[in-house]
């Protein structure tokens, strides 16, 4: 695959905020807009950003229109999703992946947005960013220092350092970064979403009971292509589980079944403290995760 690495973010660049998933309210969006402006960036809001339909930020056509238009706007240098929730998977059948491929730029988000990052990588070759989001992370009066530092460091083209807290299977692995929010990745099962080359699988989730985490990992393990192409595992944080001991057992079993180097405790999560990770970039896992 010919991977497309977007141009780094520079002070003064234009950031567009869109909502491909759940609905957002006016005041938090404006707080996030003000935050980026104080950091020295210009901010554009998607035309349909404040639309709302049930649990979605407007209908599918409007949300994908904002997505396409953000990529088509040459002045926009980075697209930052407002929040997760649910809805990104509904857009997949409507996305013009050639348009994305021909207009590569920074695209940021996590949680439900994982579905878009995975599909952009698979069908456009675009390296995106598993990162904080506008409303979810940058609308509060104070920011987590590590979260803030990592976000701007990585988007500006600098390397960050991803250090593990636990070792499940020691060893060295190489491949592109792939994964993200576990429940969202599993929601893609049934379509073509797994990379054709070797990958380091990173995973995190929030408020999922351990038996569901067990089930979701086994859904992936049962896919032949997943088993063949996985080279290593970087477990992030699984916040709000019902039993920490069970979780550790499940993660250990997953690593043993896949028989690849596996490390845990990376600061990739739904928590306030999270690091920004290039999604689809070549990486080496050896206790630490080094992304090139």
């Amino acid at each position: 695959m010919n991977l497309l690495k977007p141009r780094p973010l520079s002070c003064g660049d234009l950031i567009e905020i869109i909502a491909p998933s759940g609905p957002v309210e006016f005041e938090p969006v404006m707080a996030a807009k003000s935050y980026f402006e104080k950091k020295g960036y210009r901010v554009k809001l998607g035309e349909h950003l404040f639309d709302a339909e049930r649990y979605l930020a407007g209908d599918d056509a409007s949300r994908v229109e904002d997505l396409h238009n953000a990529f088509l706007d040459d002045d926009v240098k980075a697209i930052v999703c407002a929040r997760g929730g649910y809805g990104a998977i509904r857009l997949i059948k409507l996305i013009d992946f050639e348009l994305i491929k021909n207009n590569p730029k920074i695209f940021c988000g996590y949680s439900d947005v994982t579905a878009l990052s995975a599909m952009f990588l698979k069908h456009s070759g675009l390296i995106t960013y598993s990162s904080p989001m506008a409303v979810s992370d940058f609308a509060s009066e104070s920011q987590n220092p590590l979260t803030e530092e990592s976000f701007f460091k990585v988007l500006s083209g600098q390397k960050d350092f991803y250090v593990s807290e636990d070792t499940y299977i020691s060893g060295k692995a190489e491949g592109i970064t792939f994964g993200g929010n576990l429940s969202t990745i599993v929601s893609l099962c049934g379509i073509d979403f797994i990379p054709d080359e070797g990958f380091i699988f990173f995973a995190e989730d929030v408020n999922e009971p351990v038996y569901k985490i067990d089930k979701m990992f086994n859904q992936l393990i049962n896919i032949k292509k997943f088993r063949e192409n996985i080279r290593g595992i970087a477990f992030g944080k699984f916040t709000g589980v019902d039993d920490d001991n069970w979780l550790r057992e499940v993660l250990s079993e997953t690593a043993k079944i896949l028989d690849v180097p596996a490390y845990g405790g990376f600061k990739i999560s739904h928590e306030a403290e999270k690091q920004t990770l290039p999604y689809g970039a070549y990486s080496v896992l050896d206790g630490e995760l080094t992304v090139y």
Side-chain angles (χ1 to χ4, degrees):
M1 178 188 293
N2 293 320
L3 296 173
L4 303 172
K5 188 172 184 178
R7 167 191 171 281
L9 187 68
S10 298
C11 191
D13 280 348
L14 180 64
I15 295 172
E16 181 161 355
I17 300 173
I18 64 171
S21 301
V24 296
E25 296 180 354
F26 181 79
E27 289 186 2
V29 169
M30 299 312 290
K33 180 176 183 291
S34 177
Y35 167 79
F36 287 122
E37 288 172 342
K38 288 177 181 177
K39 286 289 183 180
Y41 302 95
R42 295 175 293 130
V43 179
K44 177 181 178 180
L45 303 181
E47 181 180 352
H48 300 285
L49 182 59
F50 297 110
D51 289 2
E53 183 173 294
R54 297 196 306 271
Y55 34 76
L56 304 168
D59 61 35
D60 295 346
S62 297
R63 286 180 290 120
V64 84
E65 180 182 338
D66 274 4
L67 177 69
H68 285 160
N69 286 342
F71 274 98
L72 286 170
D73 188 338
D74 290 337
D75 197 29
V76 172
K77 303 306 179 187
I79 303 166
V80 179
C81 293
R83 57 160 295 192
Y86 166 73
I89 193 172
R90 294 172 58 106
L91 304 184
I92 290 171
K93 62 186 179 296
L94 303 175
I95 293 173
D96 183 342
F97 291 107
E98 281 299 308
L99 182 154
I100 307 298
K101 182 178 180 179
N102 293 331
N103 298 276
K105 61 186 60 179
I106 293 169
F107 180 82
C108 300
Y110 67 105
S111 192
D112 189 61
V113 177
T114 294
L116 300 180
S117 289
M119 298 305 285
F120 291 167
L121 175 63
K122 177 67 181 183
H123 296 291
S124 303
L126 179 65
I127 294 173
T128 61
Y129 296 87
S130 174
S131 81
M133 295 185 284
V135 170
S136 301
D137 300 279
F138 293 128
S140 62
E141 293 183 359
S142 61
Q143 308 299 323
N144 180 278
L146 182 143
T147 300
E148 186 177 44
E149 178 186 5
S150 179
F151 180 79
F152 290 107
K153 176 188 290 185
V154 174
L155 295 194
S156 67
Q158 301 176 61
K159 288 184 180 180
D160 203 356
F161 299 95
Y162 310 93
V163 181
S164 65
E165 297 175 354
D166 301 299
T167 300
Y168 293 91
I169 296 179
S170 61
K172 182 178 180 179
E174 302 179 17
I176 63 171
T177 53
F178 165 69
N181 179 244
L182 183 61
S183 55
T184 303
I185 278 289
V186 167
S187 74
L188 298 174
C189 289
I191 62 176
D192 189 11
F193 74 102
I194 297 174
D196 296 318
E197 57 265 61
F199 58 82
I200 305 297
F201 187 71
F202 70 99
E204 59 81 30
D205 222 314
V206 60
N207 296 334
E208 295 286 358
V210 174
Y211 85 89
K212 285 191 176 181
I213 295 171
D214 184 352
K215 179 178 70 174
M216 289 187 284
F217 274 120
N218 275 281
Q219 280 182 270
L220 296 173
I221 290 168
N222 287 337
I223 301 173
K224 182 181 179 182
K225 190 173 185 179
F226 184 88
R227 297 194 308 272
E228 289 178 342
N229 290 355
I230 191 169
R231 299 290 184 266
I233 308 173
F235 294 118
K237 305 285 187 176
F238 290 84
T239 307
V241 298
D242 49 346
D243 191 302
D244 288 330
N245 290 327
W246 289 353
L247 174 64
R248 184 168 183 83
E249 289 175 5
V250 166
L251 300 186
S252 180
E253 286 176 0
T254 299
K256 289 177 182 177
I257 292 169
L258 290 166
D259 192 25
V260 294
Y263 299 87
F266 289 96
K267 289 182 172 63
I268 303 166
S269 72
H270 271 68
E271 296 178 3
E273 185 176 69
K274 59 176 68 70
Q275 290 180 271
T276 294
L277 177 68
Y279 193 117
Y282 175 75
S283 61
V284 175
L285 178 66
D286 187 11
E288 296 182 355
L289 180 65
T290 305
V291 181
Y292 296 92

